Amino acid sequence: MKLTLILLISVALITPSLGSLQSYGVKGRLMCGDKPAAKVTVKLVDEDDGDPDDELDASTTDKDGYFQLSGSTHEFTNIDPKFKAYHDCMKSVLRCDRKWKFNLPDKYITKNNKNPKKIMDLGTWNL
């Protein structure tokens, strides 16, 4: 019984470092109507099925609505990168906070490097 428990713990500790190292980067600008969307929480995640998503990076937009995120993780298959923005743009009209989620293209995934070689530019989005 002890041997089984030790083996399970060992596998759990080693597994995250298995698989290939993959990184991703994304940048852009968020607007709220004709004004920059400042202090919007933005996240870059690797969406996983069956286990919690890996948060690769998180930040807030600057005073002009700009952001840049990058991060890396080990996975056996290609990461499934997503960009998320949590905002309250036009809250006076819609009366709730909202979350935007974008699928990001695989062609910007960098393999075997902690730092992405290419950065996905989302451009400017109006929330």
Side-chain angles (χ1 to χ4, degrees), residues 36-69:
K39 299 181 183 176
V40 171
T41 299
V42 290
K43 294 182 180 183
L44 174 62
V45 301
D46 167 29
E47 193 171 74
D48 292 326
D49 294 326
D51 63 352
D53 295 343
D54 300 317
E55 185 174 291
L56 304 179
D57 198 7
S59 188
T60 56
T61 56
D62 67 15
K63 66 181 178 62
D64 297 315
Y66 289 98
F67 66 89
Q68 183 160 342
L69 304 168

Side-chain angles (χ1 to χ4, degrees), residues 61-104:
T61 56
D62 67 15
K63 66 181 178 62
D64 297 315
Y66 289 98
F67 66 89
Q68 183 160 342
L69 304 168
S70 66
S72 62
T73 189
H74 287 86
E75 291 287 336
F76 288 106
T77 60
N78 274 356
I79 59 174
D80 190 12
K82 309 283 189 227
F83 170 75
K84 296 180 179 181
Y86 303 84
H87 67 94
D88 62 358
C89 179
M90 298 184 64
K91 189 171 185 172
S92 62
V93 175
L94 300 174
R95 297 196 172 152
C96 63
D97 292 344
R98 287 169 310 287
K99 175 177 89 171
W100 277 26
K101 181 169 110 174
F102 299 96
N103 296 327
L104 299 171

Side-chain angles (χ1 to χ4, degrees), residues 27-44:
K27 68 179 183 175
R29 185 178 193 205
L30 300 178
M31 301 290 290
C32 182
D34 61 352
K35 295 183 172 73
K39 299 181 183 176
V40 171
T41 299
V42 290
K43 294 182 180 183
L44 174 62

